[in-house]
Amino acid sequence: MYILSQILWTPVVGALAILALPAQQIRSIRATAITSSVVVLMLTVWLLFHFDTSSSAIQFPESLPWNAELGSYYALGADGFSLPMVVLSALLCLVAMLASESVNTRVKGYHFWLLALEFGMIGVFLAQDWALFYVFWELTLIPLFFLIDQWGGKRKHTASLNFVLYTMGGSVFMLVSLLMIFTASSEHSTTMESMLATARSLPREQQIWIFLGFLIGFGVKMPVFPIHGWLPLAHVEAPSPVSILLSGALLKMGAYGLLKATGMLPEAASALQSVLAGIALVSIVYGALLAWRQTDLKAMIAYSSISHMGVVLLGIAALNEAGLLGAVLQMTAHGLIAGALFLLIGLLYERTHTREISDYSSLVQVTPRFAFFTTLALLASMGLPGSAGFVAELHAIIGGFQSFGWVMVFASLGVLIGASYAIRTAARLFTGPMRPEMQNVRDLHSHELIAAGTLAVGIMALGLVPGPIVELMNASVNELSMIFSHKNF
């Protein structure tokens, strides 16, 4: 049936179809792109219903020889870590397509690159061969570079170059780590299964150096302090639909890669546990403080992403069941929440041409639907009980407390700062005297309402009924946590 290949290659088919269309047929181009994303999402939902949640094994496996000399395979598969990320990526790509109505220059190229980006992202999460993983990892750079450089804001060229240089710099460390494992392998194969066995047999000191290479490579993409410099500018300058994907799905590639590295090098992860926790706590507080200081709405959400991805790293650093489950839940929750915030702030910017918080006031009177969804997303970002953010952060902090004790006070400080800027932003946007220039701001249109409503349903469903997604992740989380609880390395 090759269901994973169908999911992976559908965006490519859509992109090629767009290339065949004349540039003047804008409606046909948009319809083709949206149709491709709908098909991908439907296929991923089918996977959800046919996924065996009781098993931690790789499911729906596909494997074909790719490079015999290198021992590489076109190997795809899904587990409890990757499947939620595939579904999240497919959903956010569709939301980004729906939010791209305002793009009216070089529409053909824009939608082509969006579909190419979807192909690369899904490929990263489905790859079961490290060579294939690396190809997809690097492949995402090309569409993102053009999307920011061609359709971004005033400093788009600097932002796109910064992004590429930072990510390529990190990729070098990741590549060196992979080569160190590959050269030590007797099988000389790049499949994840083969390289996992090789990595765990290496001496402890060598494992630590390899893990540090992965930490830099994946940490740049997450991003964590102090290798986050590319993120704020890229977010501020990128078109809003691209910011949805950048924050909602692409940052998760780094966290997903670090989870894979943790399972591959458990002895090194255990040895560096306190280092990971320290970086995580600094990222949580530092990102929250910087977000609190921002007056630009997009910059605020960008810096808050550093804080929220710090929670993911904290969950990974805990190396226990609650922490690891919290990390994967936070990856999903942050994808939905940040995606919703970037969607709504982007739509607001299109109407008002300003992102300064001080320029807004009492929007609830003219845009009640916009006010409802934005307030919901802001409350979810601060971890309001009943939202996805609460369930995820609670698991990560419980896991951290079990491993590190009262040091978790610093994580709580980050949560409190996050609550302060979320409430302040909601108050400034939607309360106070009505400004004359804001009286004619249009509320959400039908297609915008569908996009925002879908993300809002996801945020609330994950918060109120977390059972199904916890069950989806549980087997994979248990398998990884058992390694550390029994010191099986």
Side-chain angles (χ1 to χ4, degrees), residues 332-344:
T332 308
H334 179 257
L336 294 170
I337 295 165
L341 285 171
F342 276 115
L343 167 69
L344 293 161

Side-chain angles (χ1 to χ4, degrees), residues 108 175 473:
K108 181 175 178 176
L175 182 61
M473 303 167 175

Side-chain angles (χ1 to χ4, degrees), residues 429-475:
L429 285 175
F430 305 121
T431 63
M434 171 59 72
R435 293 175 182 268
E437 62 271 25
M438 294 293 162
Q439 289 180 352
N440 297 317
V441 177
R442 290 174 285 108
D443 209 349
L444 296 176
H445 297 310
S446 55
H447 66 281
E448 297 166 345
L449 199 58
I450 291 168
T454 303
L455 294 176
V457 168
I459 291 168
M460 296 307 296
L462 211 62
L464 295 172
V465 193
I469 191 162
V470 169
E471 189 181 354
L472 178 68
M473 303 167 175
N474 226 11

Side-chain angles (χ1 to χ4, degrees), residues 56-57 79 81 200 324 473-484 488:
S56 62
D79 61 8
F81 292 136
R200 289 186 184 177
L324 291 167
M473 303 167 175
N474 226 11
S476 295
V477 168
N478 282 343
E479 184 187 43
L480 184 54
S481 65
M482 289 286 279
I483 297 170
F484 297 100
N488 295 329

Side-chain angles (χ1 to χ4, degrees), residues 222-397:
M222 282 181 72
V224 295
F225 177 87
I227 44 180
H228 63 280
W230 64 270
L231 179 76
L233 187 60
H235 269 316
V236 170
E237 299 303 323
S240 292
V242 177
S243 291
I244 293 169
L245 295 179
L246 189 56
S247 184
L250 277 139
L251 304 190
K252 311 309 175 291
M253 286 166 43
Y256 174 75
L258 194 59
L259 273 170
K260 287 285 185 186
T262 302
M264 189 161 64
L265 299 157
E267 193 173 355
S270 188
L272 295 169
Q273 186 177 18
S274 56
V275 175
L276 293 173
I279 295 171
L281 291 171
V282 171
S283 295
I284 290 169
V285 178
Y286 174 80
L289 282 171
L290 284 179
W292 181 67
R293 291 188 60 217
Q294 301 308 309
T295 59
D296 182 299
L297 285 164
K298 250 190 163 186
M300 183 198 76
I301 306 166
Y303 279 115
S304 74
S305 293
I306 298 171
S307 183
H308 289 126
M309 293 308 290
V311 174
V312 175
L313 183 58
L314 177 65
I316 296 172
L319 300 179
N320 54 34
E321 187 177 348
L324 291 167
L325 182 58
V328 190
L329 282 170
Q330 176 71 350
M331 287 160 67
T332 308
H334 179 257
L336 294 170
I337 295 165
L341 285 171
F342 276 115
L343 167 69
L344 293 161
I345 297 308
L347 294 173
L348 185 61
Y349 177 74
E350 288 170 15
R351 289 156 164 77
T352 61
H353 304 292
T354 178
R355 290 193 300 263
E356 287 295 315
I357 300 174
S358 57
D359 290 342
Y360 293 100
S361 180
S362 200
L363 281 176
V364 70
Q365 295 182 31
V366 289
T367 57
R369 289 181 297 220
F370 175 83
F372 170 77
F373 287 114
T374 307
T375 304
L376 175 66
L378 285 169
L379 291 175
S381 75
M382 63 181 251
L384 183 77
S387 70
F390 173 76
V391 175
E393 288 183 12
L394 182 65
H395 278 85
I397 290 174

Side-chain angles (χ1 to χ4, degrees), residues 83-328:
L83 185 54
M85 296 301 102
V86 173
V87 177
L88 178 68
S89 300
L91 175 62
L92 292 176
C93 283
L94 178 57
V95 169
M97 295 292 181
L98 292 172
S100 298
E101 284 287 324
S102 61
V103 176
N104 47 31
T105 57
R106 301 186 298 283
V107 175
K108 181 175 178 176
Y110 174 84
H111 286 86
F112 171 83
W113 287 121
L114 265 187
L115 287 172
L117 182 59
E118 183 174 16
F119 170 66
M121 286 191 305
I122 290 175
V124 166
F125 295 125
L126 291 181
Q128 294 301 316
D129 181 286
W130 278 110
L132 189 66
F133 176 95
Y134 190 81
V135 168
F136 282 123
W137 180 275
E138 294 296 286
L139 195 62
T140 58
L141 295 183
I142 302 167
L144 262 177
F145 173 81
F146 284 111
L147 285 165
I148 298 173
D149 189 72
Q150 295 298 306
W151 290 274
K154 293 178 182 177
R155 299 177 64 196
K156 57 188 179 184
H157 302 308
T158 306
S160 58
L161 191 61
N162 256 10
F163 166 74
V164 168
L165 290 178
Y166 260 94
T167 311
M168 286 190 72
S171 298
V172 170
F173 289 92
M174 177 173 60
L175 182 61
V176 169
S177 291
L178 289 172
L179 288 173
M180 286 175 71
I181 298 171
F182 177 74
T183 51
S185 168
S186 58
E187 294 181 37
H188 286 292
S189 170
T190 58
T191 60
M192 288 187 176
E193 188 178 356
S194 171
M195 290 186 69
L196 181 142
T198 302
R200 289 186 184 177
S201 67
L202 294 173
R204 183 171 183 270
E205 187 178 345
Q206 193 174 352
Q207 282 194 39
I208 290 172
W209 282 111
I210 292 170
F211 189 86
L212 286 171
F214 282 130
L215 180 60
I216 295 171
F218 296 131
V220 167
K221 189 74 110 184
M222 282 181 72
V224 295
F225 177 87
I227 44 180
H228 63 280
W230 64 270
L231 179 76
L233 187 60
H235 269 316
V236 170
E237 299 303 323
S240 292
V242 177
S243 291
I244 293 169
L245 295 179
L246 189 56
S247 184
L250 277 139
L251 304 190
K252 311 309 175 291
M253 286 166 43
Y256 174 75
L258 194 59
L259 273 170
K260 287 285 185 186
T262 302
M264 189 161 64
L265 299 157
E267 193 173 355
S270 188
L272 295 169
Q273 186 177 18
S274 56
V275 175
L276 293 173
I279 295 171
L281 291 171
V282 171
S283 295
I284 290 169
V285 178
Y286 174 80
L289 282 171
L290 284 179
W292 181 67
R293 291 188 60 217
Q294 301 308 309
T295 59
D296 182 299
L297 285 164
K298 250 190 163 186
M300 183 198 76
I301 306 166
Y303 279 115
S304 74
S305 293
I306 298 171
S307 183
H308 289 126
M309 293 308 290
V311 174
V312 175
L313 183 58
L314 177 65
I316 296 172
L319 300 179
N320 54 34
E321 187 177 348
L324 291 167
L325 182 58
V328 190

